[in-house]
Amino acid sequence: MRYATIDVGTNTVLLLVAERRPDGSFVAVDERMEITRLGRGVDRTGQLDPAAIADTVAAVRRFAAAARDAGAAQLVVTATSAARDARDGSRFLAAAGEAAGVPVEGISGDLEAELAYESARRDFGAGGGDLAVVDIGGGSTELIYGSGRQILFRRSFDVGAVRLTERWLHDDPPSAGELRALRGDLASVLAAAPPPPPGAKLVGIAGTVTTLVAIHLGLDTWDGGRVHGMELTAAEVRGLARKLGAMPLAERRKLPGLPEKRADVIVAGAEILAAVMEKLGFSAVTASDRGVRWGMLYERFGG
């Protein structure tokens, strides 16, 4: 049997079509990503941009059709930070549901955190060791601690790569004052994060982390097999944040491994990851090329 999930985030729309094997495990048969930036302007206006809605609904329509063409027996579509934060989020959910042919589920930050943790646990929690998972999205960042199947702490923080870019980074390249303000904002928000379990492994989920790995590796074309499971040290993450923050946007757009549509928000994303690692005392992060869409696959369809 084949199943599909679509994850509609603040910055990206992601499709997963997976086949369930006889032993209950899943193997991906189709994965796609489009950057539509549904959350453009939401931090400032509290509403979704009509053009962003149209672009995102069109992507959902294409992905739903691709899932059915691939033989998916069931499809689940979820929407996260931008849809739940915007006053008119219900309007988007209705339009996207019509495009998908199934209701679009607006999920809470807590559930988003649980799904991210489940995805990381399946890949990196062998033996039931303690994990810390950071899921950096466009509008929010989820932080989860767990031991085996048990979640010990979870919280969704309203800091994401798109939100912080729009809030603080206006010069090109960002000025020293803007970067200080962004880091101060992060320090204030992350002050609420408790220490992780001693000896926990940090797993980073979503496009910021995988993009930083791709930049570090200098990938001319995407290679999920090389990115998934790759480790970056705290020094490498901070170095990438400084390097990216000193580059004009036009130069960032030319970097191997950095998608053009992510170039404007990668500085804020890198600063979030660096701040999380510094605040929690992690010397390294392991990248996951999976996330909420995989967590929903496991939660809804078993295995």
Side-chain angles (χ1 to χ4, degrees):
M1 294 290 290
R2 290 185 174 184
Y3 303 93
T5 59
I6 297 174
D7 172 18
V8 182
T10 298
N11 198 42
T12 59
V13 183
L14 298 125
L15 167 68
L16 167 65
V17 182
E19 188 170 289
R20 189 164 62 195
R21 292 168 167 167
D23 65 358
S25 65
F26 288 97
V27 59
V29 296
D30 191 7
E31 292 192 86
R32 305 185 190 189
M33 182 271 286
E34 288 191 30
I35 296 176
T36 63
R37 197 152 300 173
L38 177 64
R40 182 168 61 239
V42 168
D43 187 63
R44 177 177 53 85
T45 67
Q47 293 185 301
L48 297 172
D49 178 81
I53 291 177
D55 290 346
T56 305
V57 167
V60 169
R61 180 178 289 110
R62 287 191 293 273
F63 283 1
R68 294 185 175 101
D69 288 345
Q74 295 184 57
L75 167 67
V76 176
V77 186
T78 58
T80 54
S81 177
R84 65 176 175 253
D85 289 348
R87 291 191 298 270
D88 55 349
S90 60
R91 179 165 62 96
F92 164 74
L93 294 177
E98 183 177 351
V102 296
V104 176
E105 304 176 24
I107 63 174
S108 68
D110 279 351
L111 179 54
E112 186 176 359
E114 291 175 14
L115 296 174
Y117 178 78
E118 182 61 15
S119 173
R121 185 187 71 80
R122 296 276 185 141
D123 290 328
F124 303 107
D130 292 345
L131 289 179
V133 179
V134 59
D135 182 355
I136 302 170
S140 66
T141 294
E142 282 65 50
L143 186 62
I144 316 98
Y145 306 154
S147 181
R149 294 177 180 272
Q150 182 183 8
I151 291 179
L152 306 173
F153 169 83
R154 65 183 179 192
R155 183 169 297 179
S156 180
F157 298 90
D158 283 336
V159 288
V162 174
R163 190 186 298 270
L164 291 190
T165 298
E166 293 181 350
R167 186 179 294 174
W168 298 114
L169 305 183
H170 309 296
D171 291 345
D172 184 22
S175 69
E178 289 176 342
L179 290 169
R180 280 195 300 271
L182 183 150
R183 290 167 187 157
D185 193 1
L186 279 170
S188 176
V189 171
L190 293 175
K201 176 188 183 76
L202 179 65
V203 177
I205 281 176
T208 285
V209 182
T210 56
T211 297
L212 290 174
V213 169
I215 295 170
H216 177 73
L217 294 173
L219 297 181
D220 289 319
T221 57
W222 179 253
D223 186 345
R226 291 185 66 189
V227 170
H228 188 69
M230 176 73 184
E231 188 174 276
L232 289 178
T233 67
E236 287 168 339
V237 171
R238 176 48 73 191
L240 283 166
R242 290 197 185 100
K243 172 184 174 181
L244 294 165
M247 297 175 70
L249 178 59
E251 287 187 26
R252 292 200 299 272
R253 284 177 170 155
K254 297 176 184 177
L255 279 176
L258 178 54
E260 185 175 343
K261 288 186 177 181
R262 200 181 290 277
D264 59 336
V265 298
I266 192 60
V267 175
E271 288 287 346
I272 294 170
L273 181 59
V276 167
M277 295 180 74
E278 290 160 7
K279 158 69 177 173
L280 302 179
F282 283 105
S283 60
V285 59
T286 299
S288 169
D289 188 31
R290 298 189 172 185
V292 169
R293 67 197 184 281
W294 279 89
M296 180 55 76
L297 179 78
Y298 300 135
E299 192 273 340
R300 195 61 54 89
F301 303 119

